[in-house]
Amino acid sequence: MVPGAAARALPIHRAFLAPCLAAATKRSLSTSGPRMNILKGQKTDEKSSLGPGAEGLHIKDLPPKASVPVTTDNAIKGDWVLFHPVYTPEELRSVEVLFRESKTFSDKVAHSFVKIARWAFDIASGYKHKPLPPNASEMSLEELRKGGYLMDETQWLRRILFLESIAAVPGMVAAALRHLRSLRLMRRDHGWIHTLLEEAENERMHLMTFMTLKNPSLLFRAMVLGAQGVFYNAFFLCYMISPSTCHRFVGHLEEEAVVTYTRCIQEIEAGRLPAWTDVPAPAIAKDYWRLGDDAKFLDVVYAVRSDESTHRFVNHSLASLKYETDVNPFALREPDMTTKGSRICFERDEAAKFVDESHRLMQSKTDKPVEV
């Protein structure tokens, strides 16, 4: 792994939310009137000193290199354009398996649906993970696999490909519905759309990465088509009814994804997936996560697990906010991986403080306040 991700004091500045965050901070810190909620955004007809494009493209996370002619040899590879975290080796190993306790009726509904979804995914993908028998050390790898205690590389890939083909659906559905809502009400979205699109693309890149190891059969693709059709429409309808419940559902779903990839990592490191021990990381993964030239497939699984813990943290945090008015705390930056890997989420008051801190950091970087 390359420790080139250290330059993330502000991981990627997303200036499109500066007006609403500035307004929110100004209102919340004002002593001349009642204290306002820092998470509140502003309407689209409020004036912004940033002018057109205040909700435009992200600023690139790396300084531009010296200008050189673009050729087929030096052209940027890949088809991703949105923000995604890049991790240091220490961050990759800071992820913990965590579960959020269901507190409300909505939480319990979301958790119940995740259990049903997990059961269905396990059957469809042939996933199994029985506890090892007491005499496992005396059994061969083949005996453990025949006994249903371990899966081979093909079974793991089937599970991962099926999971990632479905995991990219919620972010796209939620982003589309929030996009339409913003158009319909003619109001700012408060930064949710970009984060949700980034999540959808990140999950899609997981699928593209693992497909370099296996090209699914027509039967498998047909299963994915059916599952995706059912899941997309079901999530679409549910999100229109209760967005918070849907984000809580995704948060719990990502908890299970962290469990799956943690087990995969343990299997590789224990030598129970020998075909993957020395497999080099695919080129697409090296480009996407900025891995070193000597990166292995294990490094890729670590990076994917870290992404899933990010989605876990983000969705549980969004589920605790007010869907209609609260600003997305991750619009300008995200917490470091040690926070996202060891905590389940931000509660609403913590999200408000994070928004305030992000705005202060932006002001200190520009060395002047943002007028609204």
Side-chain angles (χ1 to χ4, degrees), residues 10-70:
L10 277 177
I12 290 182
H13 314 304
R14 303 176 188 175
F16 62 89
L17 268 186
C20 65
L21 287 172
T25 304
K26 186 176 181 180
R27 291 194 298 269
S28 68
L29 298 178
S30 174
T31 57
S32 61
R35 183 172 179 83
M36 303 295 287
N37 175 16
I38 186 66
L39 287 171
K40 300 295 183 182
Q42 67 177 160
K43 297 180 181 179
T44 188
D45 56 354
E46 295 182 11
K47 294 182 179 180
S48 169
S49 64
L50 296 182
E55 290 188 355
L57 296 175
H58 296 297
I59 298 175
K60 294 185 180 297
D61 54 348
L62 290 178
K65 296 181 179 179
S67 178
V68 294
V70 177

Side-chain angles (χ1 to χ4, degrees), residues 69-195:
V70 177
T71 67
T72 56
D73 293 329
N74 64 14
I76 298 175
K77 299 179 181 178
D79 61 349
W80 49 89
V81 294
L82 299 180
F83 162 81
H84 61 277
V86 176
Y87 313 100
T88 64
E90 295 75 19
E91 289 177 323
L92 291 173
R93 283 152 180 80
S94 65
V95 176
E96 300 176 15
V97 174
L98 302 172
F99 299 96
R100 186 183 187 277
E101 179 184 357
S102 298
K103 301 177 182 179
T104 66
F105 176 75
S106 174
D107 292 349
K108 293 177 181 178
V109 170
H111 200 193
S112 297
F113 274 108
V114 166
K115 290 182 178 179
I116 295 173
R118 174 72 193 239
W119 172 78
F121 287 168
D122 287 352
I123 293 178
S125 63
Y127 180 83
K128 51 191 174 183
H129 199 277
K130 293 167 56 177
L132 294 177
N135 61 336
S137 59
E138 302 174 2
M139 300 174 65
S140 67
L141 187 60
E142 189 64 28
E143 290 174 333
L144 289 171
R145 288 176 176 176
K146 286 184 178 180
Y149 299 106
L150 300 176
M151 298 194 302
D152 59 24
E153 291 82 359
T154 299
Q155 292 171 318
W156 269 108
L157 268 179
R158 186 187 304 123
R159 164 70 177 185
I160 291 171
L161 291 173
F162 194 86
L163 175 67
E164 297 298 349
S165 66
I166 302 300
V169 171
M172 184 60 68
V173 172
L177 286 174
R178 287 200 64 100
H179 174 76
L180 294 175
R181 180 179 181 275
S182 178
L183 297 176
R184 185 169 64 251
L185 300 180
M186 300 182 185
R187 292 174 180 260
R188 291 181 182 275
D189 173 69
H190 314 320
W192 290 53
I193 294 174
H194 283 76
T195 294

Side-chain angles (χ1 to χ4, degrees), residues 2 15 39 48 50 59 82 91 106 123 133-134 175 194 211 218 229 231 254 282 289 296 303 305 337 360 362:
V2 289
L39 287 171
S48 169
L50 296 182
I59 298 175
L82 299 180
E91 289 177 323
S106 174
I123 293 178
H194 283 76
M211 280 190 62
L218 289 178
F231 185 61
E254 299 297 352
W289 285 287
K296 302 295 183 183
R305 185 184 67 164
M337 196 61 241
R360 293 178 188 277
M362 285 188 63

Side-chain angles (χ1 to χ4, degrees), residues 337-350:
M337 196 61 241
T338 55
T339 299
K340 294 183 293 185
S342 60
R343 293 192 54 189
I344 198 69
C345 68
F346 280 153
E347 296 301 333
R348 191 164 182 253
D349 59 335
E350 294 176 308

